[in-house]
Amino acid sequence: MQPAPLKRARFLHIVMGGWLLVVGSLGCTSPPEHGRGSAAFGALDTTEATDVPRDSVLAVLSRLNRTAFDSAFARLDAYAVTRHVRTEQLDTTGAVTAHRTHTLRYSPGTAPGTIQRADSAGRFQAGGLLARLTPAQSRRARPGNVAPQALPDRPAYLAARTQEAYRYALRRDSLLDGTPTHVVEAKARLDERGADQSIRYARLTIDRASHELVGLTTTRASQLLLFRERSQVTLRLRRAPDAAWVPHLTRVRALVDVPLRAPRQFRTVSAYYGYDTR
């Protein structure tokens, strides 16, 4: 079902307010590398064509368990963890015009993090609508739970009544952090069946044994009155030292297009690493 305009506006509010101009969230084993340019705005990945029947792919999705995905951020309070964040503003060619990075270390519990390193260059051009969408937030603040915004209840590609609007593929023999996974891809059809779907692309990584969702990429395009936005969100989990699924990496990219202003792109990459229970 196509999300109501109010829900789409709320989604954009959260994406822009929580991720793009301030700090994002999530991690790996070391700070990620960042190029000075950017890839074309579109699907981050595509699944090679397979001979798996559509019904087999839908059967994998029907067993999807989102408990680990939804609760990963709540588990952060149990660990000491390092978080590296880079937020960028890009011009219309994809070149970075401003960036802000910082690395924080969090102790177990709910206390703010300690900034270990910080750097910035250029000037973020907010103002107007963007200023209202990006409330002030301490750089030391603990990250919020982004999973509900990345995966709302029953998105169109999971809802039986709208699955005909999508094409599906399945990649086999995949691993995530040593765990065998299914990787399912859903793409909105280019004909009239998929034309009104705001979620244009989704790639789900699913633990084969538990059916837990442990990774998700979503590309969204929508327009509300004169306001047009395209956004791309990736949220990936990893195993903590005690084998629980915890945040590993998020990438968020958005293009914001409002009247009388040049389109603006923002990108946040956030990584978590160095998990420890002490």
Side-chain angles (χ1 to χ4, degrees), residues 70-163:
D70 288 340
S71 59
F73 281 88
R75 297 191 189 101
L76 284 174
D77 293 350
Y79 308 95
V81 61
T82 298
R83 179 186 181 207
H84 178 81
V85 187
R86 179 179 175 99
T87 300
E88 301 170 331
Q89 181 170 295
L90 301 87
D91 63 20
T92 55
T93 69
V96 176
T97 59
H99 77 265
R100 183 180 305 148
T101 64
H102 52 278
T103 303
L104 306 96
R105 183 68 178 174
Y106 297 94
S107 300
T110 60
T114 300
I115 298 176
Q116 297 179 326
R117 292 189 299 273
D119 181 42
S120 64
R123 182 177 180 180
F124 284 91
Q125 298 176 357
L129 178 63
L130 289 178
R132 295 192 296 272
L133 290 177
T134 53
Q137 178 177 341
S138 169
R139 290 188 300 172
R140 299 177 58 222
R142 301 185 74 90
N145 183 6
V146 303
Q149 287 75 54
L151 182 64
D153 292 338
R154 305 304 298 172
Y157 57 86
L158 292 181
R161 62 181 297 182
T162 47
Q163 284 181 331

Side-chain angles (χ1 to χ4, degrees), residues 56-79:
S56 297
V57 182
L58 295 181
V60 172
L61 292 179
S62 70
R63 296 191 294 271
L64 181 69
N65 185 338
R66 54 183 292 171
T67 302
F69 191 85
D70 288 340
S71 59
F73 281 88
R75 297 191 189 101
L76 284 174
D77 293 350
Y79 308 95

Side-chain angles (χ1 to χ4, degrees), residues 27-264:
C28 61
T29 57
S30 61
E33 296 294 328
H34 302 280
R36 296 194 60 81
S38 63
F41 198 96
L44 291 180
D45 197 358
T46 56
T47 302
E48 297 178 0
T50 70
D51 57 2
V52 178
R54 177 185 174 90
D55 288 347
S56 297
V57 182
L58 295 181
V60 172
L61 292 179
S62 70
R63 296 191 294 271
L64 181 69
N65 185 338
R66 54 183 292 171
T67 302
F69 191 85
D70 288 340
S71 59
F73 281 88
R75 297 191 189 101
L76 284 174
D77 293 350
Y79 308 95
V81 61
T82 298
R83 179 186 181 207
H84 178 81
V85 187
R86 179 179 175 99
T87 300
E88 301 170 331
Q89 181 170 295
L90 301 87
D91 63 20
T92 55
T93 69
V96 176
T97 59
H99 77 265
R100 183 180 305 148
T101 64
H102 52 278
T103 303
L104 306 96
R105 183 68 178 174
Y106 297 94
S107 300
T110 60
T114 300
I115 298 176
Q116 297 179 326
R117 292 189 299 273
D119 181 42
S120 64
R123 182 177 180 180
F124 284 91
Q125 298 176 357
L129 178 63
L130 289 178
R132 295 192 296 272
L133 290 177
T134 53
Q137 178 177 341
S138 169
R139 290 188 300 172
R140 299 177 58 222
R142 301 185 74 90
N145 183 6
V146 303
Q149 287 75 54
L151 182 64
D153 292 338
R154 305 304 298 172
Y157 57 86
L158 292 181
R161 62 181 297 182
T162 47
Q163 284 181 331
E164 281 302 319
Y166 290 87
R167 295 183 293 107
Y168 297 89
L170 177 67
R171 178 189 296 151
R172 293 166 291 182
D173 302 325
S174 296
L175 293 173
L176 177 65
D177 201 23
T179 300
T181 61
H182 294 295
V183 177
V184 176
E185 183 180 68
K187 292 182 179 180
R189 296 183 183 274
L190 298 179
D191 58 24
E192 64 277 2
R193 288 174 291 179
D196 64 345
Q197 297 301 327
S198 63
I199 298 177
R200 307 305 301 169
Y201 170 84
R203 176 166 47 85
L204 302 91
T205 304
I206 303 167
D207 184 331
R208 292 192 197 180
S210 66
H211 309 293
E212 290 279 5
L213 178 66
V214 293
L216 175 67
T217 292
T218 299
T219 299
R220 181 185 297 262
S222 62
Q223 183 165 346
L224 184 63
L225 299 178
L226 298 178
F227 185 94
R228 183 173 66 92
E229 64 97 1
R230 288 186 292 161
S231 60
Q232 193 172 76
V233 181
T234 292
L235 172 55
R236 190 186 309 156
L237 308 184
R238 59 163 294 174
R239 294 285 192 183
D242 58 3
W245 287 107
V246 291
H248 175 61
L249 178 73
T250 55
R251 293 188 181 95
V252 180
R253 184 171 176 178
L255 182 147
V256 182
D257 191 359
V258 297
L260 305 179
R261 287 181 177 269
R264 302 179 197 177

